[in-house]
């Protein structure tokens, strides 16, 4: 039996006001010729595209209001701008080497790697704090956005350098060590713990990765995957998870290899999202409800043809959002 539910006026208004902003998609298009790559943004279905500026590696804030990217120049610039373009883009930092960019879950902070330093930037106050130095091996904000976890190999920049995980309290500017195994890197901080890789060194080869979970205090270490990764494959790198932490995607990394996988955190079971490890689907992000994976086709080879697409979490038919585009991210 169908029933009509009538809400009080105040409750109805509150629901309207609480409705989330329209989700935002960002991506890179590389024109033919000598023109530089260009960063665009659009609705999360790929419609209504707009040019943001020249650059690479764009990311969008979880509330869909901000886009940040790396702009070219004598020194690369970390740029940031509101999606409504009501204000000019701001330059957050400059460096000869810019690494990973990431917004905090509450969209009030922004993390980025410059050379061998990890910085956390307060978007409102326009102030930044150095969270870590040395060779950074991945970072991730805590679910409450108050801290950031990172991996570091200290002064050793080798691909198989020993490393550990730390977390940094942003307000207190206090750093705490998480692991002491000299094997940990690539943290992804979720609601149930810190997902990360532990590496196994291999003679004359890149290290092999498997996924573990640990608590911020260093306790309750739990193995998730037990994969045999034949060279030149390194293994799965944790990438993104749903808001409730029950679904997760990872990216299989190796020489000429990058492919999207789903990972069951309870059983360790993995599933390839596509059919090709070298030229197939490269996962980029997971929707907050865990139902949809965003990525690109054509692998990571810049000579291939790429489309920005989505795919159901359990696999299946792809939906093309933007043709001839790469490096997608979204706020869905």
């Amino acid at each position: 039996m169908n029933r009509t539910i009538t809400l009080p006026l105040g409750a109805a208004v509150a629901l309207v006001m609480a409705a989330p902003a329209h989700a935002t998609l960002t991506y890179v298009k590389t024109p033919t010729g000598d023109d530089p790559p260009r960063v665009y943004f659009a609705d999360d279905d790929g419609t209504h595209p707009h040019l943001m500026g020249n650059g690479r590696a764009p990311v969008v804030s979880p509330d869909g209001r901000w886009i940040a990217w790396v702009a070219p120049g004598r020194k690369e610039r970390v740029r940031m701008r509101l999606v409504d373009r009501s204000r000019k883009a701001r330059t957050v930092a400059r460096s000869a080497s810019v690494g990973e960019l990431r917004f905090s879950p509450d969209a009030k902070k922004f993390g980025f790697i410059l050379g061998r330093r990890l910085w956390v930037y307060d978007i409102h106050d326009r102030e930044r704090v150095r969270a870590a130095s040395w060779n950074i091996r991945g970072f991730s904000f805590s679910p409450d956005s108050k801290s950031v976890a990172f991996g570091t190999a200290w002064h050793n920049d080798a691909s198989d350098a020993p490393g550990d995980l730390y977390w940094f309290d942003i307000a207190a500017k206090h750093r705490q060590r998480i692991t002491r195994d000299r094997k940990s890197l690539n943290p992804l901080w979720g609601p149930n713990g810190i997902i990360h890789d532990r590496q196994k060194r291999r003679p004359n080869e890149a290290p092999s990765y498997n996924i573990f979970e640990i608590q911020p205090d260093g306790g309750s270490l739990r193995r998730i995957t037990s994969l045999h990764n034949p060279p030149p494959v390194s293994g799965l790198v944790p990438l993104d998870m749903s808001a409730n932490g029950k679904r997760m995607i990872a990216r299989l990394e190796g020489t000429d290899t990058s492919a999207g996988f789903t990972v069951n955190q309870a059983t360790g079971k993995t599933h390839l999202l596509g059919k090709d490890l070298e030229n197939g689907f490269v996962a980029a992000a997971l929707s907050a409800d865990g139902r949809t994976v965003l990525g690109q086709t054509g692998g990571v080879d810049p000579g291939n043809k790429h489309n920005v697409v989505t795919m159901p979490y359990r696999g299946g038919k792809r939906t093309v959002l933007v043709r001839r585009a790469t490096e997608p991210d979204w706020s869905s």
Side-chain angles (χ1 to χ4, degrees), residues 18-35:
H22 200 287
T24 303
L25 171 74
T26 186
Y27 53 90
V28 172
K29 289 183 74 71
T30 304
T32 57
D34 297 327
D35 293 335

Side-chain angles (χ1 to χ4, degrees), residues 8 19 24 84 122 125 134 146 150 174 200 225 233 260 266 288 297:
T24 303
D84 64 14
D122 186 293
D125 295 339
W134 316 303
K146 295 181 179 180
F150 62 93
H174 172 72
K200 180 179 180 180
T225 65
V233 172
T297 60

